[in-house]
Amino acid sequence: MMTPRSPSAPVSPLLLVFLLFVSVSSSLCSPASLHDAFLQCLLNNTQTLHGQQQEPSQMLHAPTDLSFPTLLGSLVRNRRFNTSSTPKPLLILTPSHPSHVQSAVVCARRTGAELRIRSGGHDFEGTSYVSRAPFLVLDMFNFRSVDVDVEQETAWVGTGATLGEVYYRIWEKSGLYGFNAGVCPTVGVGGHLSGGGYGNMLRKYGLASDSVVDAQIVDVEGRVLDRSSMGEDLFWAIRGGGGASFGVILSYRVRLVPVPNVVTVFRVWRTIEENATELVYQWQNIAPRTDNDLFMRLLLQPASSERQKGAKTVNASVLALFLGNADRLVSMLDGEFPELGLRKEDCAEMSWIESVLWWGDFDSGTAVEALLDRMPKSVSFLKRKSDYVQEPISREELELLWDKMIELGKVGFVFNPYGGKMGEIPVSDAPFPHRAGNLFKIQYSISWSEDGTEAEQSNLGKTRELYNFMTPYVSKNPRRAFLNYRDLDIGITENGENSYKEGSVYGVKYFAENFKRLVKVKTEVDPQNFFRNEQSIPVLPRSSSAMTQNSGSTERTRKVMVLVILFLFLKDLMTIYS
Ligand SMILES: Cc1cc2nc3c(=O)[nH]c(=O)nc-3n(C[C@H](O)[C@H](O)[C@H](O)COP(=O)(O)OP(=O)(O)OC[C@H]3O[C@@H](n4cnc5c(N)ncnc54)[C@H](O)[C@@H]3O)c2cc1C
């Protein structure tokens, strides 16, 4: 028998939350669909700028739009997150003006859904366009202007631009400058610079984020801030701490770096039978200590032996950029690294912009305009992991490693030498902490093209096995990792009550002693943790406990609000399909 509710009896939490939802966000609830409600909110919140901007309706894309799958999929750079079972966003937002981003943040906060920010879509774990919680995607690809000021030796670059676009625009203005960012031209500025991206000039000029001198960000209140208005703490955080924890970065101002008229590139390789062991052993001592003008990347890949049919080997390739001519390079390496046996005919001299194409693996003679193409040649299933090496791996240990690589058969390594400028920049200068004392960074690399969970499980399993095998040879306490080689294996947060504890697990691996300062900045600029993902910077537990009375219920409220949105959304879909 039902009893009448006494005045003091608790109201059903669902009802309470629903009423709260209706009253707090009436502008989102009253229209029939989330799309309409969101649009209304955008209209109410977007400043009108005399016709020079896109209508807010044009920036909103619902799953029922025919273009939705293409829009979502066109910037997915890891096929693991482009399957029928990958969770899809409730809406995609494609702003083209800062005011759109401001209103998008304000309206997204009212929905209670997560906001995932995407620039180039290269995140190795898809955090910019996938979430297990209901979510919206804010796609920044329209923010791709690159304004180069040769006199000031700087450029303002939109976060939706690709590195290829940045390199091209700099080259177009002056052949005297380049920029010290990554080698893959389709990578987006937004994730790359905010995550501490590096390229083949890191020993000379440091990371791309070390060259940032100003930025524009939309904060959680929907304000547009630059370096002076955001303050030095937030500015520090978005130069390597990952933008997605702090706001939506619209653009960065970067310092251009001088490049010589002629640079030299080469690739030489050896197999185990050709004494790759000695080459790799010596590389560990020389590549991090040689002239800062020289970057020698080492690639290790299991391969079939050419000498013995059916036998397996490991191929070690050294791939280099030298900021100078071939004569100087050959005579330098002749003395320093005779095991490499570099000859002048192994080298190619070219302009810096041509070297960008060479490193991007374009065919020889490809026009520089190819750098403007945002589409990669192919998209595979990927897994990447990272490590830092502080002591050389001995010859005997390398032999054991070859055996393991041959046994696993597929996982490769990229060793990137540090030293040079990387050893000179103090750890506290930016969130990226892996500076002096690191000989090189390891990337574990596996890519495959077979669909299905079986292939995925097998390839992920092999990568993890190799990672475990490497434990004795890499950094410890914490075992360090590179944020831009995002790896959810090293820890995730559910963004609930334990977020600080969970965040500390991956946080110290990515940021070491800088993690604490990142948490402090996060707590100041986004205390309610609106900007969040599986590996975002958590807020301080003290601030959660300061909100104890309502933080638990805020979390519950948020979850139920999300359920309500989902309900409205599904109802909407059913109406359309019925
Ligand atoms: C093929 C390939 C080659 C690569 N080569 C290199 C390399 O040479 N050097 C190197 O350092 N790294 C390299 N990476 C890694 C790359 O730097 C990172 O994945 C980087 O984060 C990608 O940036 P994005 O904008 O393309 O990615 P996205 O997937 O769009 O974003 C990555 C992260 O940044 C956040 N984010 C994106 N834009 C914004 C914004 N405007 N405001 C706030 N947060 C934002 C996203 O939410 C997400 O968390 C490579 C990756 C791939 C797939």
Side-chain angles (χ1 to χ4, degrees):
M1 198 179 87
M2 299 230 346
T3 49
R5 197 191 294 274
S6 74
S8 57
V11 184
S12 143
L14 187 66
L15 179 64
L16 188 71
V17 168
F18 185 71
L19 290 174
L20 187 71
F21 176 66
V22 170
S23 65
V24 169
S25 55
S26 53
S27 65
L28 288 179
C29 233
S30 45
S33 71
L34 176 66
H35 175 276
D36 291 352
F38 206 95
L39 179 58
Q40 192 55 52
C41 180
L42 287 179
L43 287 168
N44 293 345
N45 284 281
T46 305
Q47 294 158 19
T48 310
L49 286 163
H50 304 296
Q52 51 163 302
Q53 67 179 67
Q54 189 190 38
E55 277 290 313
S57 62
Q58 287 172 276
M59 75 148 152
L60 211 51
H61 310 272
T64 46
D65 294 355
L66 282 179
S67 58
F68 188 90
T70 313
L71 193 56
L72 182 64
S74 61
L75 281 178
V76 172
R77 297 289 176 259
N78 187 348
R79 280 180 62 196
R80 279 173 59 211
F81 307 107
N82 198 8
T83 69
S84 55
S85 60
T86 307
K88 304 290 184 288
L90 302 170
L91 293 171
I92 301 176
L93 310 163
T94 55
S96 57
H97 188 275
S99 65
H100 295 159
V101 178
Q102 293 177 271
S103 48
V105 168
V106 169
C107 297
R109 278 181 72 186
R110 292 189 192 170
T111 66
E114 285 185 6
L115 183 69
R116 295 301 175 107
I117 311 157
R118 180 164 76 170
S119 287
H122 284 64
D123 191 283
F124 283 117
E125 299 279 11
T127 66
S128 55
Y129 54 88
V130 184
S131 172
R132 281 178 298 157
F135 69 109
L136 316 168
V137 167
L138 183 71
D139 226 319
M140 296 296 289
F141 62 80
N142 287 317
F143 287 75
R144 57 203 285 195
S145 63
V146 180
D147 296 322
V148 179
D149 185 337
V150 174
E151 245 168 57
Q152 295 289 318
E153 300 181 319
T154 59
W156 272 106
V157 293
T159 45
T162 62
L163 299 183
E165 287 171 327
V166 175
Y167 298 148
Y168 180 89
R169 297 293 168 212
I170 295 172
W171 167 80
E172 201 182 32
K173 279 282 173 79
S174 161
L176 300 173
Y177 295 97
F179 185 54
N180 49 324
V183 300
C184 171
T186 55
V187 165
V189 165
H192 189 71
L193 268 64
S194 65
Y198 79 95
N200 52 22
M201 293 198 284
L202 101 159
R203 301 191 65 257
K204 177 85 175 180
Y205 298 117
L207 306 170
S209 48
D210 295 327
S211 293
V212 167
V213 293
D214 204 341
Q216 278 200 311
I217 187 170
V218 172
D219 76 351
V220 71
E221 303 299 337
R223 295 173 298 200
V224 179
L225 307 172
D226 66 4
R227 179 173 181 172
S228 66
S229 52
M230 79 178 82
E232 287 302 305
D233 275 345
L234 179 53
F235 181 66
W236 173 87
I238 58 170
R239 289 182 302 123
S245 299
F246 300 99
V248 183
I249 301 157
L250 301 173
S251 55
Y252 280 110
R253 189 179 188 203
V254 297
R255 201 183 319 107
L256 308 180
V257 301
V259 289
N261 286 336
V262 173
V263 304
T264 305
V265 297
F266 70 80
R267 180 178 192 140
V268 292
W269 59 92
R270 302 270 187 286
T271 59
I272 300 175
E273 301 75 36
E274 294 160 334
N275 210 357
T277 307
E278 193 56 25
L279 180 92
V280 175
Y281 178 71
Q282 295 299 344
W283 176 93
Q284 299 176 90
N285 294 310
I286 295 154
R289 295 195 177 97
T290 186
D291 194 301
N292 291 3
D293 284 338
L294 179 58
F295 177 82
M296 289 190 283
R297 171 178 276 183
L298 179 72
L299 303 173
L300 298 171
Q301 197 67 40
S304 300
S305 169
E306 282 182 7
R307 293 195 178 177
Q308 203 185 330
K309 213 165 171 241
K312 297 284 176 198
T313 186
V314 170
N315 199 340
S317 316
V318 179
L319 201 71
L321 172 74
F322 179 60
L323 299 169
N325 65 30
D327 284 334
R328 181 155 85 93
L329 175 64
V330 173
S331 84
M332 202 172 93
L333 286 180
D334 202 26
E336 250 180 17
F337 196 5
E339 297 77 7
L340 189 64
L342 185 72
R343 300 159 307 170
K344 192 160 179 205
E345 51 271 35
D346 297 321
C347 301
E349 292 183 330
M350 56 187 65
S351 66
W352 176 78
I353 197 75
E354 286 166 339
S355 78
V356 172
L357 291 165
W358 188 87
W359 274 82
D361 218 11
F362 289 89
D363 293 335
S364 147
T366 302
V368 178
E369 282 65 31
L371 295 174
L372 299 176
D373 191 351
R374 293 177 74 94
M375 295 310 290
K377 286 178 224 153
S378 62
V379 179
S380 310
F381 298 91
L382 310 172
K383 178 66 188 173
R384 298 289 187 271
K385 297 176 81 65
S386 59
D387 258 321
Y388 282 87
V389 175
Q390 294 160 342
E391 297 292 334
I393 305 171
S394 71
R395 295 178 181 87
E396 296 70 31
E397 290 162 342
L398 288 173
E399 303 278 356
L400 296 175
L401 177 57
W402 307 155
D403 292 345
K404 190 70 191 172
M405 290 178 77
I406 290 171
E407 177 200 321
L408 294 170
K410 260 190 118 173
V411 195
F413 284 115
V414 184
F415 288 4
N416 288 292
Y418 274 36
K421 183 84 180 168
M422 289 299 283
E424 293 163 18
I425 299 175
V427 167
S428 60
D429 245 34
F432 180 96
H434 319 297
R435 305 281 188 176
N438 290 287
L439 292 177
F440 57 97
K441 173 175 65 192
I442 295 182
Q443 184 196 74
Y444 298 72
S445 166
I446 188 162
S447 306
W448 65 99
S449 53
E450 308 86 28
D451 284 296
T453 20
E454 205 178 308
E456 177 171 86
Q457 288 316 314
S458 154
N459 288 313
L460 294 183
K462 286 179 179 179
T463 316
R464 288 169 186 151
E465 194 175 331
L466 190 57
Y467 182 79
N468 290 339
F469 177 86
M470 290 299 287
T471 309
Y473 315 124
V474 298
S475 64
K476 292 166 192 64
N477 306 317
R479 185 168 181 172
R480 290 161 175 255
F482 175 40
L483 179 68
N484 264 354
Y485 290 167
R486 170 115 41 213
D487 177 10
L488 296 187
D489 295 355
I490 67 168
I492 57 164
T493 175
E494 300 289 338
N495 283 304
E497 281 158 15
N498 295 325
S499 68
Y500 180 77
K501 206 168 155 216
E502 292 162 351
S504 304
V505 175
Y506 55 81
V508 295
K509 293 176 183 163
Y510 286 140
F511 306 111
E513 58 260 54
N514 290 329
F515 175 66
K516 282 194 179 139
R517 184 169 172 198
L518 285 169
V519 172
K520 197 165 158 275
V521 180
K522 169 76 178 179
T523 309
E524 275 161 24
V525 303
D526 182 20
Q528 301 295 330
N529 196 21
F530 170 67
F531 290 110
R532 61 188 183 274
N533 61 38
E534 294 83 347
Q535 284 189 336
S536 49
I537 303 297
V539 293
L540 264 177
R542 201 151 28 90
S543 82
S544 344
S545 63
M547 301 184 292
T548 311
Q549 279 107 342
N550 50 30
S551 75
S553 61
T554 307
E555 181 60 19
R556 273 194 300 281
T557 304
R558 193 169 59 77
K559 283 184 179 153
V560 181
M561 279 165 82
V562 163
L563 281 178
V564 174
I565 296 165
L566 259 187
F567 169 74
L568 285 173
F569 176 69
L570 286 174
K571 195 169 129 261
D572 205 33
L573 272 187
M574 283 164 73
T575 319
I576 289 161
Y577 287 117
S578 63

